[in-house]
Amino acid sequence: MCGIIGYTGVQAAVPVILQGLERLEYRGYDSAGMGIFENGEIAMYKTMGSPSNLKEKAPQGSAAKVGIGHTRWATHGAPDEKNAHPHMSADGKFAVVHNGIIENYVELKRELTEKGYIFRSETDTEVVAFLLEEAYKGDVKSALSEIMPKLNGSYALGILCSDYPDTIFCAKKSSPLFVGIDADGGYLASDVAAFYKNSGKIYKLGDNEIGIIKKDGLKVFDIDGCRIRKTEVKIREAQRYEGKGKYEHFMLKEIYEQPTAFSATLENILVDGKIKLGCLKMNREKIKHLNHIEFIACGSAYHAGVVGAYAAQKLLNIPAFSFIASEYINRSSSADENTLVVIISQSGETADTLAAMREAKKRNAKIVSIVNNELSTIAQESDCVILTKAGREVAVATTKAFSAQLAVIYALCIRLSYSAGKIDREKYKNYCTELSKISEKIGEFLKENSYAKSIAEILKDTDYCSFIGRGFDYCTAMEGALKLKEISYAHCEAYAAGELKHGTISLIENGTPVVAVVCDSSVATKTLGNIKECKARGAKIICITNDENYKGDADDVIVYVPKTEDIFSVSLSVLPLQLIAYYTAKLKGCSIDKPKNLAKSVTVE
Ligand code: G6P
């Protein structure tokens, strides 16, 4: 989604804002803009496309010490300059950058139009600038207090007012916003990664709070204007900004960080051969009385949830379901106080996931969240938070956070199963031992990647490709197909191998690539039968397997991954598919870290 940055201090503001925008680029890159104080007036610079284009337009040598910037992921209106933020009030007094959606903007726009305001953009944000102008009587805080109750939906706002050329005003509801203060000034950002330096104090603004940032500090008020004392938040080093290092793309770097992401996540969970999940606070009786488990998430995190549902059902022998978060409310789940709901989200800010979580909370379910950001809204609203320690993930297409989510899911399912008496001590110990080896196996497998480059040569020119698998392999197929679609724009789809003959086998022609995953030993023979059905119709088989006995046919491409317990197999079988997607996208010249139309953190429903 969109990203916000602001700075007021002793340094030149333009380079600080440009660098912040570059760090926020993964959140949105349809267009970008900044507003700075030049000679007491607000000057605006906007561009289409990535924030790096703004470098050419922004006055690099400007002496301005105060400004705000924005990188946009279009929701209301095309990604062009007129819709790029900041948006100005009609009198030129206010410049506003905004993340989120003002859901009642049509109504507000109509009222403002009737009062004579002329809108210059198609955005929902412009109403905020005009409402501020209308409410302003010399005090921005009071104006914000007056307009905030009128705004439905979500917003993180960064505001300049020409009467206060040393100040940035901010306010938020349901969209994250952080303030950093160090010796050089005050910073505003929708994500701590944007802060210019990895030092200083960081504060998180709460819903319906108003912040006034000056170079020497921050003052925060509630909507009634009463002062609130904020406490500093501690950001794990791992969540701060890091560059690409020796890698050409963040995605490749993050693929290779998976062994560490996996092991760091388990560091305090798998201790001395035992799984410790203290925050669960569920005794044996409570676990035994669980009526079912729900895994809720979006995108790749949803695929981790599918793995969770398969693993939970297998290990606990109770119903377990995976839900796409945006469909959760529509499916009227039967969650109640005896249901465990597992919320999975890298960012911890995904609006669809948050909405589903709040719905599950209403039903009194026990909420466990698996997030990569302990300061996120999902973390803050959960009964129990289990952190993934993947570190900051920058590439839009997730890899290491997905791996880290799987680590937690395995640990959770094994622990619950053992506590409920569904597996005995020996089985429990065996699972724990094998789980402790996965990170090493991931590292071992990643050492060689030439196969991925050759397979990319096959996939780069195909119009259609199918990913198939059964059981846990179906989960891998879904994630592998998503990776390829996200970053290489290849048209492909994942199908349950057994279902293929009921539908899309009709698309298989001579030479159609079929990526078949055969690692879940409980269903492997059946998948092999489905591979034969594809071959009989001319498919080119790319087989990902952990069975050395699988030799395939002479024209098959076979990639062997390390063997493990079936329930952990996705952690290994997904690796070649990530790399294949990466090299296919590279051959096609795609924007790998920032695929078109996608955003990393989707904070609108
Ligand atoms: C977006 C991203 C996906 C991600 C999904 C869920 O759609 O493009 O890569 O999997 O959001 O994000 P979350 O932060 O909740 O894991």
Side-chain angles (χ1 to χ4, degrees):
M1 298 280 98
C2 309
I4 289 177
I5 177 78
Y7 174 70
T8 167
V10 295
Q11 296 187 45
V14 172
V16 178
I17 293 168
L18 286 174
Q19 182 165 4
L21 287 178
E22 271 179 28
R23 290 174 177 191
L24 287 172
E25 206 177 344
Y26 73 93
R27 294 178 68 105
Y29 29 86
D30 289 340
S31 54
M34 72 162 74
I36 52 173
F37 277 112
E38 279 181 334
N39 308 318
E41 301 271 299
I42 302 171
M44 307 256 267
Y45 302 91
K46 297 184 180 187
T47 180
M48 292 199 33
S50 133
S52 52
N53 300 347
L54 200 58
K55 275 189 179 157
E56 284 146 38
K57 294 202 163 178
Q60 298 270 3
S62 163
K65 302 275 192 295
V66 182
I68 50 177
H70 189 266
T71 171
R72 180 168 182 253
W73 186 84
T75 57
H76 296 65
D80 55 22
E81 282 188 24
K82 83 173 174 317
N83 290 324
H85 300 213
H87 290 284
M88 271 223 162
S89 56
D91 60 3
K93 212 177 253 297
F94 292 97
V96 177
V97 290
H98 165 223
N99 282 3
I101 290 183
I102 307 299
E103 288 171 0
N104 57 335
Y105 88 103
V106 174
E107 196 182 313
L108 294 169
K109 194 169 177 174
R110 192 184 328 109
E111 286 167 17
L112 287 160
T113 307
E114 277 163 16
K115 288 176 186 163
Y117 285 97
I118 296 166
F119 283 81
R120 293 152 297 195
S121 79
E122 299 154 273
T123 66
D124 50 335
T125 306
E126 209 175 354
V127 298
V128 178
F130 291 169
L131 285 173
L132 272 173
E133 174 179 333
E134 199 186 34
Y136 183 64
K137 315 242 164 9
D139 177 5
V140 181
K141 174 161 65 72
S142 303
L144 275 166
S145 293
E146 190 180 322
I147 71 159
M148 282 159 71
K150 296 182 184 166
L151 305 174
N152 296 344
S154 59
Y155 53 83
L157 298 170
I159 300 157
L160 297 181
C161 172
S162 58
D163 289 345
Y164 300 88
D166 60 347
T167 309
I168 297 173
F169 299 90
C170 57
K172 79 150 221 127
K173 192 180 119 198
S174 297
S175 273
L177 208 48
F178 295 87
V179 176
I181 304 290
D182 70 15
D184 285 341
Y187 306 77
L188 173 71
S190 48
D191 184 330
V192 288
F195 289 132
Y196 189 55
K197 284 189 269 171
N198 287 340
S199 64
K201 295 186 170 174
I202 293 175
Y203 304 89
K204 185 175 188 192
L205 220 63
D207 276 356
N208 296 312
E209 290 180 357
I210 298 165
I212 301 180
I213 311 167
K214 294 192 188 278
K215 70 173 179 224
D216 52 358
L218 162 75
K219 285 186 181 156
V220 179
F221 301 86
D222 68 15
I223 204 159
D224 300 318
C226 300
R227 182 86 190 266
I228 298 173
R229 300 266 160 220
K230 301 295 286 182
T231 42
E232 194 187 334
V233 291
K234 292 282 170 218
I235 308 290
R236 277 184 292 145
E237 271 318 303
Q239 283 301 330
R240 296 186 189 256
Y241 183 82
E242 262 184 57
K244 278 189 277 210
K246 63 178 183 186
Y247 295 94
E248 195 179 342
H249 295 99
F250 278 105
M251 184 178 177
L252 193 62
K253 175 173 180 262
E254 288 159 6
I255 287 175
Y256 281 95
E257 284 172 348
Q258 288 178 106
T260 318
F262 200 95
S263 59
T265 297
L266 288 180
E267 203 177 351
N268 298 317
I269 295 179
L270 187 57
V271 185
D272 299 330
K274 291 183 193 134
I275 293 168
K276 302 206 158 123
L277 288 170
C279 95
L280 262 185
K281 295 197 180 72
M282 288 176 82
N283 60 25
R284 179 175 291 251
E285 281 316 298
K286 181 94 185 139
I287 297 172
K288 275 188 170 166
H289 280 101
L290 282 177
N291 50 20
H292 71 279
I293 303 184
E294 297 178 350
F295 293 84
I296 306 176
C298 304
S300 293
Y302 165 70
H303 296 151
V306 180
V307 175
Y310 275 73
Q313 181 109 30
K314 189 168 179 138
L315 293 177
L316 279 129
N317 200 20
I318 58 169
F321 308 100
S322 46
F323 289 87
I324 290 174
S326 55
E327 284 297 308
Y328 185 71
I329 295 168
N330 313 337
R331 276 182 63 185
S332 62
S333 100
S334 52
D336 61 21
E337 66 279 9
N338 289 320
T339 308
L340 180 67
V341 169
V342 183
I343 302 290
I344 311 163
S345 173
Q346 187 281 127
S347 61
E349 299 291 353
T350 303
D352 288 323
T353 311
L354 186 58
M357 177 177 120
R358 287 176 177 160
E359 177 64 24
K361 272 190 106 166
K362 272 197 232 153
R363 297 174 194 186
N364 297 319
K366 166 107 180 170
I367 311 287
V368 174
S369 66
I370 302 174
V371 292
N372 202 35
N373 179 358
E374 74 261 56
L375 298 176
S376 62
T377 314
I378 287 177
Q380 283 169 359
E381 293 189 15
S382 312
D383 299 322
C384 159
V385 184
I386 311 177
L387 275 183
T388 49
K389 304 229 174 100
R392 173 159 296 281
E393 195 177 58
V394 177
V396 166
T398 178
T399 51
K400 63 174 180 171
F402 176 74
S403 278
Q405 287 160 357
L406 290 182
V408 175
I409 285 166
Y410 302 148
L412 178 66
C413 293
I414 295 165
R415 179 70 236 179
L416 290 173
S417 170
Y418 182 54
S419 296
K422 300 285 171 73
I423 50 171
D424 61 19
R425 192 169 177 72
E426 202 193 332
K427 189 79 191 151
Y428 171 66
K429 284 199 143 245
N430 289 346
Y431 274 136
C432 291
T433 308
E434 181 57 20
L435 183 56
S436 71
K437 293 181 188 160
I438 299 294
S439 134
E440 207 184 315
K441 290 186 180 187
I442 295 174
E444 226 10 75
F445 178 77
L446 288 175
K447 281 185 182 157
E448 164 58 32
N449 65 13
S450 54
Y451 67 86
K453 294 175 187 165
S454 324
I455 296 170
E457 290 287 350
I458 302 172
L459 296 183
K460 76 174 197 307
D461 300 318
T462 57
D463 296 333
Y464 171 76
C465 156
S466 189
F467 284 67
I468 61 168
R470 285 171 180 255
F472 288 108
D473 295 335
Y474 178 42
C475 309
T476 307
M478 285 194 273
E479 179 57 9
L482 178 63
K483 286 283 96 68
L484 190 67
K485 281 183 273 202
E486 279 179 315
I487 62 167
S488 83
Y489 317 136
H491 179 60
C492 62
E493 66 191 333
Y495 239 70
E499 181 68 5
L500 200 71
K501 59 186 174 295
H502 301 295
T504 54
I505 200 163
S506 60
L507 295 173
I508 292 180
E509 294 173 351
N510 226 3
T512 305
V514 171
V515 179
V517 187
V518 196
C519 295
D520 182 341
S521 66
S522 64
V523 284
T525 9
K526 285 192 190 297
T527 311
L528 293 177
N530 302 131
I531 291 177
K532 289 282 175 210
E533 291 158 10
C534 296
K535 279 202 77 89
R537 285 150 184 93
K540 168 120 193 108
I541 302 297
I542 297 159
C543 182
I544 313 297
T545 184
N546 58 10
D547 186 348
E548 291 81 20
N549 295 319
Y550 179 68
K551 298 276 183 281
D553 291 331
D555 60 339
D556 287 355
V557 180
I558 305 175
V559 181
Y560 291 107
V561 296
K563 240 191 184 2
T564 183
E565 291 280 351
D566 290 339
I567 63 159
F568 306 142
S569 61
V570 178
S571 287
L572 295 159
S573 54
V574 77
L575 306 171
L577 302 188
Q578 294 168 340
L579 282 166
I580 290 166
Y582 173 81
Y583 284 110
T584 306
K586 197 171 162 197
L587 283 177
K588 290 172 89 170
C590 301
S591 166
I592 293 181
D593 287 334
K594 290 168 283 173
K596 78 171 163 2
N597 301 340
L598 293 175
K600 178 109 191 121
S601 179
V602 182
T603 49
V604 293
E605 278 181 59

